[in-house]
Amino acid sequence: SQQGEEDPQALSIQEGENATMNCSYKTSINNLQWYRQNSGRGLVHLILIRSNEREKHSGRLRVTLDTSKKSSSLLITASRAADTASYFCASGTYKYIFGTGTRLKVLA
Amino acid sequence: KAGVTQTPRYLIKTRGQQVTLSCSPISGHRSVSWYQQTPGQGLQFLFEYFSETQRNKGNFPGRFSGRQFSNSRSEMNVSTLELGDSALYLCASSLYTSGGTDTQYFGPGTRLTVL
């Protein structure tokens, strides 16, 4: 079974709005990563947050990590149509387990 | 620096056949992992190789096997193909310097269709 669970499974927003996706995991981790996948293609690494970090920023992305709740969130600000993709969190200690993904659709 | 490359990109096979997929990691990366992605099961970890040794393995039957060469290139093989093996197979490479999980960089995948 998947270790990570993303929430929501699907999200549809207007261009310019913010998109927030959540991820929960089950076991202890060294770090947690977020990836983007466009339409059945390879995954693109977005951001890595280590287990001793609480928040990290990269451009329009903001990731938070709460190890006590075993959860993370990804915020995409000022979304664009090009952000339309599936987003996955990946967590683990010696191997990554991917969540089920959130399908984000940004409407122009 | 060139990214992770996978060949072939698309493959059509029939049940009972076997298939070999290839992955070339980013130069300098020593760890290669393989994942299977299907609409029903999502992304599932197959196995990981480091320095020509399988370090981690997922919950897949023995029909799925892999290997890594001294130049870190990796192949995975699926024997006696079943319809359910139709999937996108993704390869990822990482430096694996810390002994824990490092950033994995993914290739474009090989789309396998089993008829």
Side-chain angles (χ1 to χ4, degrees):
Chain A
S1 64
Q2 297 283 357
Q3 161 154 271
E5 297 288 336
E6 276 93 342
D7 170 58
Q9 290 189 338
L11 182 60
S12 186
I13 60 174
Q14 294 292 325
E15 206 167 29
E17 294 181 336
N18 295 342
T20 300
M21 290 158 259
N22 303 295
C23 164
S24 61
Y25 57 93
K26 296 178 181 175
T27 62
S28 61
I29 59 172
N30 285 349
N31 59 55
L32 185 141
Q33 301 188 38
W34 285 89
Y35 288 84
R36 184 187 75 229
Q37 184 179 37
N38 291 86
S39 189
R41 305 176 74 173
L43 277 76
V44 174
H45 179 257
L46 295 176
I47 196 165
L48 177 153
I49 185 166
R50 303 200 181 281
S51 59
N52 61 353
E53 297 176 310
R54 292 296 168 259
E55 188 171 311
K56 199 161 183 180
H57 296 253
S58 177
R60 294 184 296 113
L61 307 179
R62 173 179 167 252
V63 168
T64 62
L65 179 64
D66 187 335
T67 52
S68 65
K69 295 181 180 178
K70 291 187 168 59
S71 68
S72 174
S73 68
L74 169 67
L75 168 68
I76 304 174
T77 61
S79 62
R80 305 166 182 167
D83 295 328
T84 294
S86 291
Y87 292 81
F88 296 88
C89 69
S91 57
T93 302
Y94 288 98
K95 63 180 182 182
Y96 279 124
I97 304 297
F98 282 80
T100 51
T102 292
R103 293 187 309 279
L104 173 66
K105 188 169 187 177
V106 181
L107 305 170
Chain B
K1 192 181 268 192
V4 178
T5 57
Q6 291 187 246
T7 56
R9 292 292 310 279
Y10 301 91
L11 207 48
I12 300 175
K13 293 285 188 179
T14 56
R15 279 180 299 174
Q17 288 187 309
Q18 74 166 16
V19 67
T20 299
L21 311 181
S22 181
C23 171
S24 292
I26 291 172
S27 178
H29 284 194
R30 302 165 65 191
S31 170
V32 173
S33 298
W34 288 90
Y35 295 85
Q36 181 197 64
Q37 186 178 31
T38 59
Q41 298 297 318
L43 269 156
Q44 292 192 293
F45 173 78
L46 280 156
F47 28 64
E48 185 231 352
Y49 286 87
F50 178 76
S51 291
E52 302 177 64
T53 301
Q54 187 182 90
R55 292 173 56 92
N56 291 291
K57 189 176 188 302
N59 297 321
F60 278 81
R63 300 185 298 106
F64 292 82
S65 63
R67 59 177 174 169
Q68 186 181 34
F69 302 95
S70 58
N71 61 358
S72 294
R73 190 178 69 84
S74 176
E75 289 181 347
M76 67 162 282
N77 183 276
V78 187
S79 61
T80 320
L81 284 166
E82 300 177 358
L83 295 179
D85 297 333
S86 293
L88 180 67
Y89 289 88
L90 293 161
C91 164
S93 75
S94 66
L95 282 170
Y96 210 94
T97 55
S98 64
T101 42
D102 293 296
T103 297
Q104 292 191 333
Y105 297 89
F106 283 79
T110 294
R111 172 75 63 185
L112 172 65
T113 302
V114 182
L115 302 176

